[in-house]
Amino acid sequence: MAENDAIRRFAEEATIEPDAIGRARAHALEIGADPISAPVGAQIAVIAAATNALNIVEIGTGGGVSGLWLLHGSPRATLTTIDKEPEHLALARAAFADAKIPPARARFITGRAAEVLPRMNEASYDIVLVDADADGVIEYVEHGLRLVRAGGTVLVPRVLAGGAVADPVKRDPLTSAYRSLIQETQSSPAVLGALSIVGEGLLQLTTTTPR
């Protein structure tokens, strides 16, 4: 365990966060928005860049941190961010303005994801990031897999639940939901998945069946 902790600490310290994202993180923490960690942010930026993502959806703004990382990886992308907390969206707007993100490249939707996602167009997005309402994560991932284009990616941070998913004794609803999500997607022939343990963990999913 000590070796794993050292690896995580090294990854955290080795990740260099752009200044604008660092400022967004500080503001997000002030209001308790709980943004993704810098190592996970760097991973999603690489995925956005590698897939040449142009249309991205994120569920949960994290005060703008995750969106800035995604746009850092894919500077030409347009981001749609959904959050039920107006304060979090307002903070994200300010963070995007501070980072000189053109207004046309970001759309902010206030509302519950369970109500917003069913109205969004199927197979229209390159990336869907799921980072809100952990008790509804399986439902949101199902929506995400519907929304991404063939070969698109659904990203789910925090799936390790602070390490609880690795402890078979832990059976609370949140831990069980993340554990079920990992197990079901890993065993599904319709989905290709990979689990990263850096930071708070990141589950990466893409569909394997043609649209």
Side-chain angles (χ1 to χ4, degrees):
M1 291 297 294
E3 181 181 358
N4 289 339
D5 290 341
I7 292 172
R8 290 173 186 271
R9 185 166 58 253
F10 177 81
E12 185 80 37
E13 295 173 352
T15 303
I16 299 175
E17 195 161 54
D19 291 341
I21 302 181
R23 290 191 294 271
R25 178 180 303 282
H27 294 148
L29 291 173
E30 288 175 1
I31 66 167
D34 192 21
I36 61 172
S37 67
V40 169
Q43 287 183 75
I44 67 173
V46 169
I47 292 167
T51 57
N52 192 29
L54 296 178
N55 294 293
I56 302 173
V57 175
E58 67 168 356
I59 307 166
T61 68
V65 172
S66 51
L68 287 176
W69 270 115
L70 287 163
L71 294 176
H72 180 65
S74 188
R76 297 188 299 120
T78 298
L79 175 76
T80 299
T81 182
I82 304 165
D83 203 296
K84 65 182 179 181
E85 299 292 343
E87 184 181 15
H88 292 187
L89 287 167
L91 194 62
R93 284 182 186 273
F96 282 27
D98 177 57
K100 305 296 190 296
I101 303 296
R105 288 183 51 214
R107 181 168 64 136
F108 302 86
I109 299 178
T110 305
R112 294 184 177 278
E115 299 171 358
V116 176
L117 294 174
R119 302 197 300 267
M120 302 186 77
N121 293 331
E122 183 175 339
S124 298
Y125 300 92
D126 302 300
I127 292 175
V128 175
L129 176 75
V130 179
D131 187 27
D133 298 332
D135 55 347
V137 66
I138 293 178
E139 178 186 356
Y140 299 153
V141 168
E142 290 174 349
H143 278 298
L145 291 170
R146 178 183 63 83
L147 294 177
V148 292
R149 60 169 174 76
T153 308
V154 175
L155 302 171
V156 191
R158 309 184 203 279
V159 291
L160 299 179
V165 294
D167 185 351
V169 176
K170 301 288 187 181
R171 296 188 178 275
D172 59 277
L174 175 59
T175 302
S176 296
Y178 279 133
R179 189 180 291 127
S180 295
L181 175 64
I182 294 169
Q183 292 171 342
E184 290 176 13
T185 53
Q186 289 294 311
S187 62
S188 171
V191 177
L192 182 64
L195 177 62
S196 168
I197 63 171
V198 173
E200 61 273 33
L202 179 68
L203 182 62
Q204 306 160 55
L205 304 170
T206 186
T207 56
T208 57
T209 54
R211 294 279 170 81

